[in-house]
Amino acid sequence: MYGREPKLPFNRTTTTFTITTPNDYWIQLNRLMQTYKQVARRNIQLRQQQAKIRYDRNRSDPVYKQNELVLWRKPGRISKFAERYSGPYVIIQEQHPTYIVEDTDTLLRKQVHINDIKPVHERII
């Protein structure tokens, strides 16, 4: 694709790779593959930690208390002009990051994730 041959881990020549019987090749190959898997696993874990740090740096972490009014985001795809949130709901039980909320009109309860709710800012008229 870029006009050159790719460098693969198997293309690297080692100076200590000696084969006396056909079974030795299989043993050496398994050791080499285990080493590559360990390095890849460590690299993935490091990248996951770095991604989490970057994500958490700009993320707000709201905490809601009992009897607080919140709006719940409607699931699924909705049209452009439809309401995205419904409510208000009252928080009944807090189990951060999930909350049990109750509809103020129908008294139906549901468990929602913190990403799907936002606080109600009341206006005094």
Side-chain angles (χ1 to χ4, degrees), residues 27-63:
I27 293 169
Q28 291 287 346
L29 184 63
N30 281 334
R31 284 187 195 149
L32 186 64
M33 289 303 296
Q34 290 298 325
T35 303
Y36 286 139
K37 286 179 185 177
Q38 290 173 356
V39 170
R41 186 175 295 118
R42 272 188 261 136
N43 190 25
I44 288 171
Q45 290 172 347
L46 176 68
R47 298 298 176 191
Q48 286 175 342
Q49 291 171 355
Q50 290 173 345
K52 180 177 174 20
I53 290 169
R54 276 194 308 273
Y55 176 79
D56 288 344
R57 190 178 314 145
N58 298 324
R59 182 179 183 275
S60 64
D61 191 21
V63 177

PDB file of all heavy atoms in Angstrom, residues 27-63:
ATOM      1  N   ILE A  27       8.688 -25.633  19.489  1.00  0.00           N
ATOM      2  CA  ILE A  27       8.893 -25.136  20.850  1.00  0.00           C
ATOM      3  C   ILE A  27       9.366 -23.685  20.817  1.00  0.00           C
ATOM      4  O   ILE A  27       8.855 -22.828  21.550  1.00  0.00           O
ATOM      5  CB  ILE A  27       9.887 -26.041  21.615  1.00  0.00           C
ATOM      6  CG1 ILE A  27       9.273 -27.426  21.836  1.00  0.00           C
ATOM      7  CG2 ILE A  27      10.303 -25.415  22.933  1.00  0.00           C
ATOM      8  CD1 ILE A  27      10.260 -28.454  22.344  1.00  0.00           C
ATOM      9  N   GLN A  28      10.336 -23.394  19.959  1.00  0.00           N
ATOM     10  CA  GLN A  28      10.852 -22.021  19.831  1.00  0.00           C
ATOM     11  C   GLN A  28       9.758 -21.071  19.352  1.00  0.00           C
ATOM     12  O   GLN A  28       9.644 -19.942  19.845  1.00  0.00           O
ATOM     13  CB  GLN A  28      12.046 -21.986  18.858  1.00  0.00           C
ATOM     14  CG  GLN A  28      13.291 -22.654  19.359  1.00  0.00           C
ATOM     15  CD  GLN A  28      13.972 -21.829  20.438  1.00  0.00           C
ATOM     16  OE1 GLN A  28      13.680 -20.668  20.641  1.00  0.00           O
ATOM     17  NE2 GLN A  28      14.885 -22.468  21.145  1.00  0.00           N
ATOM     18  N   LEU A  29       8.954 -21.529  18.407  1.00  0.00           N
ATOM     19  CA  LEU A  29       7.876 -20.686  17.884  1.00  0.00           C
ATOM     20  C   LEU A  29       6.838 -20.390  18.967  1.00  0.00           C
ATOM     21  O   LEU A  29       6.359 -19.257  19.085  1.00  0.00           O
ATOM     22  CB  LEU A  29       7.221 -21.371  16.685  1.00  0.00           C
ATOM     23  CG  LEU A  29       6.142 -20.568  15.961  1.00  0.00           C
ATOM     24  CD1 LEU A  29       6.728 -19.301  15.369  1.00  0.00           C
ATOM     25  CD2 LEU A  29       5.487 -21.409  14.893  1.00  0.00           C
ATOM     26  N   ASN A  30       6.509 -21.388  19.779  1.00  0.00           N
ATOM     27  CA  ASN A  30       5.567 -21.170  20.877  1.00  0.00           C
ATOM     28  C   ASN A  30       6.107 -20.184  21.899  1.00  0.00           C
ATOM     29  O   ASN A  30       5.375 -19.322  22.395  1.00  0.00           O
ATOM     30  CB  ASN A  30       5.207 -22.493  21.564  1.00  0.00           C
ATOM     31  CG  ASN A  30       4.170 -23.268  20.772  1.00  0.00           C
ATOM     32  OD1 ASN A  30       3.391 -22.690  20.034  1.00  0.00           O
ATOM     33  ND2 ASN A  30       4.175 -24.580  20.942  1.00  0.00           N
ATOM     34  N   ARG A  31       7.392 -20.287  22.245  1.00  0.00           N
ATOM     35  CA  ARG A  31       8.002 -19.335  23.178  1.00  0.00           C
ATOM     36  C   ARG A  31       7.957 -17.918  22.609  1.00  0.00           C
ATOM     37  O   ARG A  31       7.644 -16.967  23.319  1.00  0.00           O
ATOM     38  CB  ARG A  31       9.449 -19.732  23.466  1.00  0.00           C
ATOM     39  CG  ARG A  31       9.586 -20.878  24.394  1.00  0.00           C
ATOM     40  CD  ARG A  31      11.042 -21.090  24.757  1.00  0.00           C
ATOM     41  NE  ARG A  31      11.196 -22.394  25.356  1.00  0.00           N
ATOM     42  CZ  ARG A  31      12.280 -23.135  25.269  1.00  0.00           C
ATOM     43  NH1 ARG A  31      13.328 -22.695  24.601  1.00  0.00           N
ATOM     44  NH2 ARG A  31      12.339 -24.321  25.855  1.00  0.00           N
ATOM     45  N   LEU A  32       8.284 -17.809  21.341  1.00  0.00           N
ATOM     46  CA  LEU A  32       8.278 -16.497  20.692  1.00  0.00           C
ATOM     47  C   LEU A  32       6.870 -15.913  20.671  1.00  0.00           C
ATOM     48  O   LEU A  32       6.670 -14.727  20.967  1.00  0.00           O
ATOM     49  CB  LEU A  32       8.823 -16.635  19.264  1.00  0.00           C
ATOM     50  CG  LEU A  32       9.035 -15.357  18.477  1.00  0.00           C
ATOM     51  CD1 LEU A  32      10.094 -14.494  19.144  1.00  0.00           C
ATOM     52  CD2 LEU A  32       9.428 -15.669  17.058  1.00  0.00           C
ATOM     53  N   MET A  33       5.863 -16.728  20.381  1.00  0.00           N
ATOM     54  CA  MET A  33       4.488 -16.255  20.358  1.00  0.00           C
ATOM     55  C   MET A  33       4.021 -15.835  21.757  1.00  0.00           C
ATOM     56  O   MET A  33       3.296 -14.844  21.900  1.00  0.00           O
ATOM     57  CB  MET A  33       3.558 -17.332  19.788  1.00  0.00           C
ATOM     58  CG  MET A  33       3.725 -17.548  18.298  1.00  0.00           C
ATOM     59  SD  MET A  33       3.480 -16.053  17.337  1.00  0.00           S
ATOM     60  CE  MET A  33       1.775 -15.722  17.678  1.00  0.00           C
ATOM     61  N   GLN A  34       4.417 -16.572  22.794  1.00  0.00           N
ATOM     62  CA  GLN A  34       4.060 -16.194  24.158  1.00  0.00           C
ATOM     63  C   GLN A  34       4.665 -14.842  24.526  1.00  0.00           C
ATOM     64  O   GLN A  34       4.014 -14.007  25.169  1.00  0.00           O
ATOM     65  CB  GLN A  34       4.522 -17.269  25.155  1.00  0.00           C
ATOM     66  CG  GLN A  34       3.748 -18.554  25.084  1.00  0.00           C
ATOM     67  CD  GLN A  34       2.280 -18.352  25.407  1.00  0.00           C
ATOM     68  OE1 GLN A  34       1.912 -17.539  26.223  1.00  0.00           O
ATOM     69  NE2 GLN A  34       1.428 -19.101  24.722  1.00  0.00           N
ATOM     70  N   THR A  35       5.899 -14.618  24.099  1.00  0.00           N
ATOM     71  CA  THR A  35       6.543 -13.332  24.365  1.00  0.00           C
ATOM     72  C   THR A  35       5.794 -12.208  23.661  1.00  0.00           C
ATOM     73  O   THR A  35       5.530 -11.156  24.262  1.00  0.00           O
ATOM     74  CB  THR A  35       8.006 -13.359  23.883  1.00  0.00           C
ATOM     75  OG1 THR A  35       8.673 -14.443  24.532  1.00  0.00           O
ATOM     76  CG2 THR A  35       8.711 -12.061  24.198  1.00  0.00           C
ATOM     77  N   TYR A  36       5.423 -12.405  22.412  1.00  0.00           N
ATOM     78  CA  TYR A  36       4.677 -11.378  21.676  1.00  0.00           C
ATOM     79  C   TYR A  36       3.311 -11.115  22.296  1.00  0.00           C
ATOM     80  O   TYR A  36       2.854  -9.986  22.377  1.00  0.00           O
ATOM     81  CB  TYR A  36       4.505 -11.781  20.213  1.00  0.00           C
ATOM     82  CG  TYR A  36       5.776 -11.645  19.402  1.00  0.00           C
ATOM     83  CD1 TYR A  36       6.119 -12.606  18.479  1.00  0.00           C
ATOM     84  CD2 TYR A  36       6.613 -10.559  19.558  1.00  0.00           C
ATOM     85  CE1 TYR A  36       7.273 -12.496  17.725  1.00  0.00           C
ATOM     86  CE2 TYR A  36       7.776 -10.430  18.816  1.00  0.00           C
ATOM     87  CZ  TYR A  36       8.098 -11.405  17.906  1.00  0.00           C
ATOM     88  OH  TYR A  36       9.235 -11.292  17.171  1.00  0.00           O
ATOM     89  N   LYS A  37       2.655 -12.176  22.776  1.00  0.00           N
ATOM     90  CA  LYS A  37       1.349 -11.995  23.420  1.00  0.00           C
ATOM     91  C   LYS A  37       1.471 -11.195  24.707  1.00  0.00           C
ATOM     92  O   LYS A  37       0.645 -10.327  24.998  1.00  0.00           O
ATOM     93  CB  LYS A  37       0.715 -13.358  23.717  1.00  0.00           C
ATOM     94  CG  LYS A  37       0.182 -14.062  22.494  1.00  0.00           C
ATOM     95  CD  LYS A  37      -0.405 -15.412  22.872  1.00  0.00           C
ATOM     96  CE  LYS A  37      -0.834 -16.196  21.667  1.00  0.00           C
ATOM     97  NZ  LYS A  37      -1.347 -17.536  22.014  1.00  0.00           N
ATOM     98  N   GLN A  38       2.507 -11.467  25.502  1.00  0.00           N
ATOM     99  CA  GLN A  38       2.706 -10.728  26.744  1.00  0.00           C
ATOM    100  C   GLN A  38       2.978  -9.254  26.474  1.00  0.00           C
ATOM    101  O   GLN A  38       2.435  -8.377  27.151  1.00  0.00           O
ATOM    102  CB  GLN A  38       3.838 -11.343  27.554  1.00  0.00           C
ATOM    103  CG  GLN A  38       3.507 -12.697  28.148  1.00  0.00           C
ATOM    104  CD  GLN A  38       4.721 -13.343  28.791  1.00  0.00           C
ATOM    105  OE1 GLN A  38       5.830 -12.811  28.735  1.00  0.00           O
ATOM    106  NE2 GLN A  38       4.513 -14.509  29.400  1.00  0.00           N
ATOM    107  N   VAL A  39       3.819  -8.985  25.485  1.00  0.00           N
ATOM    108  CA  VAL A  39       4.124  -7.596  25.143  1.00  0.00           C
ATOM    109  C   VAL A  39       2.880  -6.885  24.631  1.00  0.00           C
ATOM    110  O   VAL A  39       2.586  -5.744  25.016  1.00  0.00           O
ATOM    111  CB  VAL A  39       5.270  -7.534  24.098  1.00  0.00           C
ATOM    112  CG1 VAL A  39       5.437  -6.130  23.548  1.00  0.00           C
ATOM    113  CG2 VAL A  39       6.558  -8.031  24.715  1.00  0.00           C
ATOM    114  N   ALA A  40       2.099  -7.550  23.798  1.00  0.00           N
ATOM    115  CA  ALA A  40       0.869  -6.954  23.276  1.00  0.00           C
ATOM    116  C   ALA A  40      -0.131  -6.705  24.395  1.00  0.00           C
ATOM    117  O   ALA A  40      -0.781  -5.658  24.442  1.00  0.00           O
ATOM    118  CB  ALA A  40       0.258  -7.860  22.210  1.00  0.00           C
ATOM    119  N   ARG A  41      -0.266  -7.648  25.326  1.00  0.00           N
ATOM    120  CA  ARG A  41      -1.199  -7.494  26.448  1.00  0.00           C
ATOM    121  C   ARG A  41      -0.801  -6.297  27.313  1.00  0.00           C
ATOM    122  O   ARG A  41      -1.641  -5.486  27.708  1.00  0.00           O
ATOM    123  CB  ARG A  41      -1.239  -8.772  27.277  1.00  0.00           C
ATOM    124  CG  ARG A  41      -2.286  -8.765  28.375  1.00  0.00           C
ATOM    125  CD  ARG A  41      -2.381 -10.096  29.109  1.00  0.00           C
ATOM    126  NE  ARG A  41      -2.852 -11.145  28.215  1.00  0.00           N
ATOM    127  CZ  ARG A  41      -2.170 -12.226  27.874  1.00  0.00           C
ATOM    128  NH1 ARG A  41      -0.962 -12.429  28.356  1.00  0.00           N
ATOM    129  NH2 ARG A  41      -2.671 -13.135  27.057  1.00  0.00           N
ATOM    130  N   ARG A  42       0.500  -6.169  27.619  1.00  0.00           N
ATOM    131  CA  ARG A  42       0.968  -5.024  28.414  1.00  0.00           C
ATOM    132  C   ARG A  42       0.729  -3.713  27.676  1.00  0.00           C
ATOM    133  O   ARG A  42       0.320  -2.718  28.279  1.00  0.00           O
ATOM    134  CB  ARG A  42       2.456  -5.181  28.740  1.00  0.00           C
ATOM    135  CG  ARG A  42       2.680  -5.970  30.011  1.00  0.00           C
ATOM    136  CD  ARG A  42       4.121  -5.954  30.424  1.00  0.00           C
ATOM    137  NE  ARG A  42       4.688  -7.219  29.957  1.00  0.00           N
ATOM    138  CZ  ARG A  42       5.857  -7.362  29.350  1.00  0.00           C
ATOM    139  NH1 ARG A  42       6.636  -6.330  29.173  1.00  0.00           N
ATOM    140  NH2 ARG A  42       6.272  -8.542  28.947  1.00  0.00           N
ATOM    141  N   ASN A  43       0.953  -3.715  26.373  1.00  0.00           N
ATOM    142  CA  ASN A  43       0.745  -2.509  25.578  1.00  0.00           C
ATOM    143  C   ASN A  43      -0.733  -2.115  25.559  1.00  0.00           C
ATOM    144  O   ASN A  43      -1.070  -0.939  25.683  1.00  0.00           O
ATOM    145  CB  ASN A  43       1.266  -2.729  24.157  1.00  0.00           C
ATOM    146  CG  ASN A  43       1.303  -1.440  23.367  1.00  0.00           C
ATOM    147  OD1 ASN A  43       1.384  -0.363  23.935  1.00  0.00           O
ATOM    148  ND2 ASN A  43       1.241  -1.555  22.056  1.00  0.00           N
ATOM    149  N   ILE A  44      -1.621  -3.099  25.420  1.00  0.00           N
ATOM    150  CA  ILE A  44      -3.062  -2.815  25.417  1.00  0.00           C
ATOM    151  C   ILE A  44      -3.490  -2.241  26.758  1.00  0.00           C
ATOM    152  O   ILE A  44      -4.235  -1.259  26.819  1.00  0.00           O
ATOM    153  CB  ILE A  44      -3.856  -4.093  25.075  1.00  0.00           C
ATOM    154  CG1 ILE A  44      -3.675  -4.443  23.604  1.00  0.00           C
ATOM    155  CG2 ILE A  44      -5.331  -3.928  25.418  1.00  0.00           C
ATOM    156  CD1 ILE A  44      -4.238  -5.799  23.221  1.00  0.00           C
ATOM    157  N   GLN A  45      -3.010  -2.829  27.863  1.00  0.00           N
ATOM    158  CA  GLN A  45      -3.377  -2.331  29.190  1.00  0.00           C
ATOM    159  C   GLN A  45      -2.868  -0.907  29.403  1.00  0.00           C
ATOM    160  O   GLN A  45      -3.578  -0.063  29.962  1.00  0.00           O
ATOM    161  CB  GLN A  45      -2.839  -3.263  30.272  1.00  0.00           C
ATOM    162  CG  GLN A  45      -3.542  -4.603  30.321  1.00  0.00           C
ATOM    163  CD  GLN A  45      -2.874  -5.574  31.269  1.00  0.00           C
ATOM    164  OE1 GLN A  45      -1.756  -5.357  31.729  1.00  0.00           O
ATOM    165  NE2 GLN A  45      -3.560  -6.675  31.548  1.00  0.00           N
ATOM    166  N   LEU A  46      -1.666  -0.629  28.946  1.00  0.00           N
ATOM    167  CA  LEU A  46      -1.120   0.723  29.070  1.00  0.00           C
ATOM    168  C   LEU A  46      -1.944   1.718  28.268  1.00  0.00           C
ATOM    169  O   LEU A  46      -2.293   2.803  28.762  1.00  0.00           O
ATOM    170  CB  LEU A  46       0.339   0.733  28.600  1.00  0.00           C
ATOM    171  CG  LEU A  46       1.015   2.096  28.579  1.00  0.00           C
ATOM    172  CD1 LEU A  46       1.192   2.609  30.002  1.00  0.00           C
ATOM    173  CD2 LEU A  46       2.350   2.014  27.860  1.00  0.00           C
ATOM    174  N   ARG A  47      -2.308   1.369  27.043  1.00  0.00           N
ATOM    175  CA  ARG A  47      -3.112   2.257  26.204  1.00  0.00           C
ATOM    176  C   ARG A  47      -4.512   2.464  26.788  1.00  0.00           C
ATOM    177  O   ARG A  47      -5.067   3.555  26.696  1.00  0.00           O
ATOM    178  CB  ARG A  47      -3.214   1.718  24.784  1.00  0.00           C
ATOM    179  CG  ARG A  47      -1.905   1.607  24.070  1.00  0.00           C
ATOM    180  CD  ARG A  47      -1.258   2.942  23.903  1.00  0.00           C
ATOM    181  NE  ARG A  47       0.055   2.766  23.302  1.00  0.00           N
ATOM    182  CZ  ARG A  47       0.953   3.689  23.215  1.00  0.00           C
ATOM    183  NH1 ARG A  47       0.700   4.889  23.674  1.00  0.00           N
ATOM    184  NH2 ARG A  47       2.119   3.449  22.680  1.00  0.00           N
ATOM    185  N   GLN A  48      -5.087   1.420  27.394  1.00  0.00           N
ATOM    186  CA  GLN A  48      -6.399   1.565  28.022  1.00  0.00           C
ATOM    187  C   GLN A  48      -6.326   2.524  29.206  1.00  0.00           C
ATOM    188  O   GLN A  48      -7.219   3.365  29.392  1.00  0.00           O
ATOM    189  CB  GLN A  48      -6.935   0.209  28.485  1.00  0.00           C
ATOM    190  CG  GLN A  48      -7.411  -0.669  27.365  1.00  0.00           C
ATOM    191  CD  GLN A  48      -7.825  -2.050  27.846  1.00  0.00           C
ATOM    192  OE1 GLN A  48      -7.458  -2.479  28.942  1.00  0.00           O
ATOM    193  NE2 GLN A  48      -8.589  -2.751  27.032  1.00  0.00           N
ATOM    194  N   GLN A  49      -5.281   2.427  30.007  1.00  0.00           N
ATOM    195  CA  GLN A  49      -5.116   3.340  31.139  1.00  0.00           C
ATOM    196  C   GLN A  49      -4.946   4.778  30.654  1.00  0.00           C
ATOM    197  O   GLN A  49      -5.518   5.706  31.224  1.00  0.00           O
ATOM    198  CB  GLN A  49      -3.930   2.926  31.993  1.00  0.00           C
ATOM    199  CG  GLN A  49      -4.145   1.633  32.747  1.00  0.00           C
ATOM    200  CD  GLN A  49      -2.881   1.139  33.421  1.00  0.00           C
ATOM    201  OE1 GLN A  49      -1.809   1.713  33.246  1.00  0.00           O
ATOM    202  NE2 GLN A  49      -2.994   0.051  34.174  1.00  0.00           N
ATOM    203  N   GLN A  50      -4.158   4.966  29.592  1.00  0.00           N
ATOM    204  CA  GLN A  50      -3.957   6.313  29.057  1.00  0.00           C
ATOM    205  C   GLN A  50      -5.251   6.880  28.495  1.00  0.00           C
ATOM    206  O   GLN A  50      -5.555   8.062  28.681  1.00  0.00           O
ATOM    207  CB  GLN A  50      -2.878   6.296  27.976  1.00  0.00           C
ATOM    208  CG  GLN A  50      -1.488   6.055  28.515  1.00  0.00           C
ATOM    209  CD  GLN A  50      -0.465   5.880  27.406  1.00  0.00           C
ATOM    210  OE1 GLN A  50      -0.810   5.659  26.246  1.00  0.00           O
ATOM    211  NE2 GLN A  50       0.803   5.978  27.761  1.00  0.00           N
ATOM    212  N   ALA A  51      -6.050   6.047  27.819  1.00  0.00           N
ATOM    213  CA  ALA A  51      -7.326   6.511  27.269  1.00  0.00           C
ATOM    214  C   ALA A  51      -8.284   6.880  28.387  1.00  0.00           C
ATOM    215  O   ALA A  51      -9.013   7.878  28.287  1.00  0.00           O
ATOM    216  CB  ALA A  51      -7.937   5.431  26.374  1.00  0.00           C
ATOM    217  N   LYS A  52      -8.297   6.115  29.460  1.00  0.00           N
ATOM    218  CA  LYS A  52      -9.164   6.429  30.597  1.00  0.00           C
ATOM    219  C   LYS A  52      -8.757   7.758  31.227  1.00  0.00           C
ATOM    220  O   LYS A  52      -9.611   8.579  31.584  1.00  0.00           O
ATOM    221  CB  LYS A  52      -9.130   5.320  31.634  1.00  0.00           C
ATOM    222  CG  LYS A  52     -10.026   5.614  32.824  1.00  0.00           C
ATOM    223  CD  LYS A  52     -10.047   4.495  33.798  1.00  0.00           C
ATOM    224  CE  LYS A  52     -10.802   4.783  35.063  1.00  0.00           C
ATOM    225  NZ  LYS A  52     -11.752   5.833  35.092  1.00  0.00           N
ATOM    226  N   ILE A  53      -7.486   7.988  31.389  1.00  0.00           N
ATOM    227  CA  ILE A  53      -7.012   9.251  31.965  1.00  0.00           C
ATOM    228  C   ILE A  53      -7.422  10.421  31.085  1.00  0.00           C
ATOM    229  O   ILE A  53      -7.917  11.446  31.565  1.00  0.00           O
ATOM    230  CB  ILE A  53      -5.478   9.206  32.164  1.00  0.00           C
ATOM    231  CG1 ILE A  53      -5.131   8.230  33.294  1.00  0.00           C
ATOM    232  CG2 ILE A  53      -4.925  10.587  32.459  1.00  0.00           C
ATOM    233  CD1 ILE A  53      -3.662   7.915  33.408  1.00  0.00           C
ATOM    234  N   ARG A  54      -7.263  10.280  29.758  1.00  0.00           N
ATOM    235  CA  ARG A  54      -7.661  11.357  28.838  1.00  0.00           C
ATOM    236  C   ARG A  54      -9.164  11.589  28.879  1.00  0.00           C
ATOM    237  O   ARG A  54      -9.629  12.711  28.859  1.00  0.00           O
ATOM    238  CB  ARG A  54      -7.224  11.018  27.415  1.00  0.00           C
ATOM    239  CG  ARG A  54      -5.808  11.389  27.105  1.00  0.00           C
ATOM    240  CD  ARG A  54      -5.542  11.342  25.608  1.00  0.00           C
ATOM    241  NE  ARG A  54      -5.919  10.099  24.978  1.00  0.00           N
ATOM    242  CZ  ARG A  54      -5.139   9.026  24.878  1.00  0.00           C
ATOM    243  NH1 ARG A  54      -3.921   9.052  25.377  1.00  0.00           N
ATOM    244  NH2 ARG A  54      -5.569   7.943  24.277  1.00  0.00           N
ATOM    245  N   TYR A  55      -9.951  10.514  28.938  1.00  0.00           N
ATOM    246  CA  TYR A  55     -11.405  10.642  28.967  1.00  0.00           C
ATOM    247  C   TYR A  55     -11.866  11.291  30.273  1.00  0.00           C
ATOM    248  O   TYR A  55     -12.707  12.188  30.256  1.00  0.00           O
ATOM    249  CB  TYR A  55     -12.055   9.262  28.820  1.00  0.00           C
ATOM    250  CG  TYR A  55     -13.552   9.291  28.924  1.00  0.00           C
ATOM    251  CD1 TYR A  55     -14.330   9.695  27.849  1.00  0.00           C
ATOM    252  CD2 TYR A  55     -14.196   8.925  30.098  1.00  0.00           C
ATOM    253  CE1 TYR A  55     -15.714   9.729  27.939  1.00  0.00           C
ATOM    254  CE2 TYR A  55     -15.572   8.949  30.191  1.00  0.00           C
ATOM    255  CZ  TYR A  55     -16.323   9.351  29.115  1.00  0.00           C
ATOM    256  OH  TYR A  55     -17.682   9.388  29.202  1.00  0.00           O
ATOM    257  N   ASP A  56     -11.312  10.851  31.398  1.00  0.00           N
ATOM    258  CA  ASP A  56     -11.731  11.382  32.695  1.00  0.00           C
ATOM    259  C   ASP A  56     -11.300  12.822  32.918  1.00  0.00           C
ATOM    260  O   ASP A  56     -11.875  13.517  33.747  1.00  0.00           O
ATOM    261  CB  ASP A  56     -11.182  10.505  33.824  1.00  0.00           C
ATOM    262  CG  ASP A  56     -11.887   9.167  33.906  1.00  0.00           C
ATOM    263  OD1 ASP A  56     -12.973   9.036  33.299  1.00  0.00           O
ATOM    264  OD2 ASP A  56     -11.352   8.256  34.566  1.00  0.00           O
ATOM    265  N   ARG A  57     -10.313  13.282  32.187  1.00  0.00           N
ATOM    266  CA  ARG A  57      -9.831  14.648  32.359  1.00  0.00           C
ATOM    267  C   ARG A  57     -10.917  15.673  32.004  1.00  0.00           C
ATOM    268  O   ARG A  57     -11.030  16.707  32.650  1.00  0.00           O
ATOM    269  CB  ARG A  57      -8.610  14.877  31.462  1.00  0.00           C
ATOM    270  CG  ARG A  57      -7.889  16.171  31.732  1.00  0.00           C
ATOM    271  CD  ARG A  57      -6.658  16.337  30.865  1.00  0.00           C
ATOM    272  NE  ARG A  57      -5.851  15.124  30.833  1.00  0.00           N
ATOM    273  CZ  ARG A  57      -5.181  14.707  29.767  1.00  0.00           C
ATOM    274  NH1 ARG A  57      -5.204  15.393  28.657  1.00  0.00           N
ATOM    275  NH2 ARG A  57      -4.470  13.599  29.811  1.00  0.00           N
ATOM    276  N   ASN A  58     -11.735  15.391  30.993  1.00  0.00           N
ATOM    277  CA  ASN A  58     -12.754  16.341  30.546  1.00  0.00           C
ATOM    278  C   ASN A  58     -14.164  15.928  30.945  1.00  0.00           C
ATOM    279  O   ASN A  58     -15.124  16.551  30.522  1.00  0.00           O
ATOM    280  CB  ASN A  58     -12.690  16.479  29.020  1.00  0.00           C
ATOM    281  CG  ASN A  58     -11.365  17.031  28.571  1.00  0.00           C
ATOM    282  OD1 ASN A  58     -10.795  17.880  29.240  1.00  0.00           O
ATOM    283  ND2 ASN A  58     -10.855  16.534  27.472  1.00  0.00           N
ATOM    284  N   ARG A  59     -14.307  14.896  31.744  1.00  0.00           N
ATOM    285  CA  ARG A  59     -15.630  14.382  32.085  1.00  0.00           C
ATOM    286  C   ARG A  59     -16.081  14.940  33.424  1.00  0.00           C
ATOM    287  O   ARG A  59     -15.350  14.913  34.399  1.00  0.00           O
ATOM    288  CB  ARG A  59     -15.585  12.863  32.172  1.00  0.00           C
ATOM    289  CG  ARG A  59     -16.920  12.236  32.481  1.00  0.00           C
ATOM    290  CD  ARG A  59     -16.783  10.725  32.518  1.00  0.00           C
ATOM    291  NE  ARG A  59     -18.062  10.111  32.734  1.00  0.00           N
ATOM    292  CZ  ARG A  59     -18.599   9.920  33.930  1.00  0.00           C
ATOM    293  NH1 ARG A  59     -17.949  10.289  35.002  1.00  0.00           N
ATOM    294  NH2 ARG A  59     -19.773   9.359  34.045  1.00  0.00           N
ATOM    295  N   SER A  60     -17.296  15.442  33.447  1.00  0.00           N
ATOM    296  CA  SER A  60     -17.862  15.857  34.724  1.00  0.00           C
ATOM    297  C   SER A  60     -18.473  14.630  35.386  1.00  0.00           C
ATOM    298  O   SER A  60     -18.961  13.725  34.714  1.00  0.00           O
ATOM    299  CB  SER A  60     -18.927  16.922  34.511  1.00  0.00           C
ATOM    300  OG  SER A  60     -20.005  16.384  33.781  1.00  0.00           O
ATOM    301  N   ASP A  61     -18.446  14.599  36.681  1.00  0.00           N
ATOM    302  CA  ASP A  61     -18.978  13.454  37.412  1.00  0.00           C
ATOM    303  C   ASP A  61     -20.052  13.947  38.368  1.00  0.00           C
ATOM    304  O   ASP A  61     -19.799  14.137  39.561  1.00  0.00           O
ATOM    305  CB  ASP A  61     -17.859  12.745  38.173  1.00  0.00           C
ATOM    306  CG  ASP A  61     -18.298  11.405  38.719  1.00  0.00           C
ATOM    307  OD1 ASP A  61     -19.284  10.852  38.199  1.00  0.00           O
ATOM    308  OD2 ASP A  61     -17.649  10.909  39.663  1.00  0.00           O
ATOM    309  N   PRO A  62     -21.279  14.162  37.862  1.00  0.00           N
ATOM    310  CA  PRO A  62     -22.324  14.659  38.745  1.00  0.00           C
ATOM    311  C   PRO A  62     -22.780  13.594  39.727  1.00  0.00           C
ATOM    312  O   PRO A  62     -22.765  12.402  39.427  1.00  0.00           O
ATOM    313  CB  PRO A  62     -23.455  15.031  37.785  1.00  0.00           C
ATOM    314  CG  PRO A  62     -23.250  14.149  36.619  1.00  0.00           C
ATOM    315  CD  PRO A  62     -21.764  13.944  36.506  1.00  0.00           C
ATOM    316  N   VAL A  63     -23.166  14.028  40.901  1.00  0.00           N
ATOM    317  CA  VAL A  63     -23.711  13.131  41.919  1.00  0.00           C
ATOM    318  C   VAL A  63     -25.058  13.696  42.329  1.00  0.00           C
ATOM    319  O   VAL A  63     -25.164  14.867  42.679  1.00  0.00           O
ATOM    320  CB  VAL A  63     -22.770  13.033  43.143  1.00  0.00           C
ATOM    321  CG1 VAL A  63     -23.373  12.158  44.215  1.00  0.00           C
ATOM    322  CG2 VAL A  63     -21.417  12.501  42.724  1.00  0.00           C
TER     323      VAL A  63
END
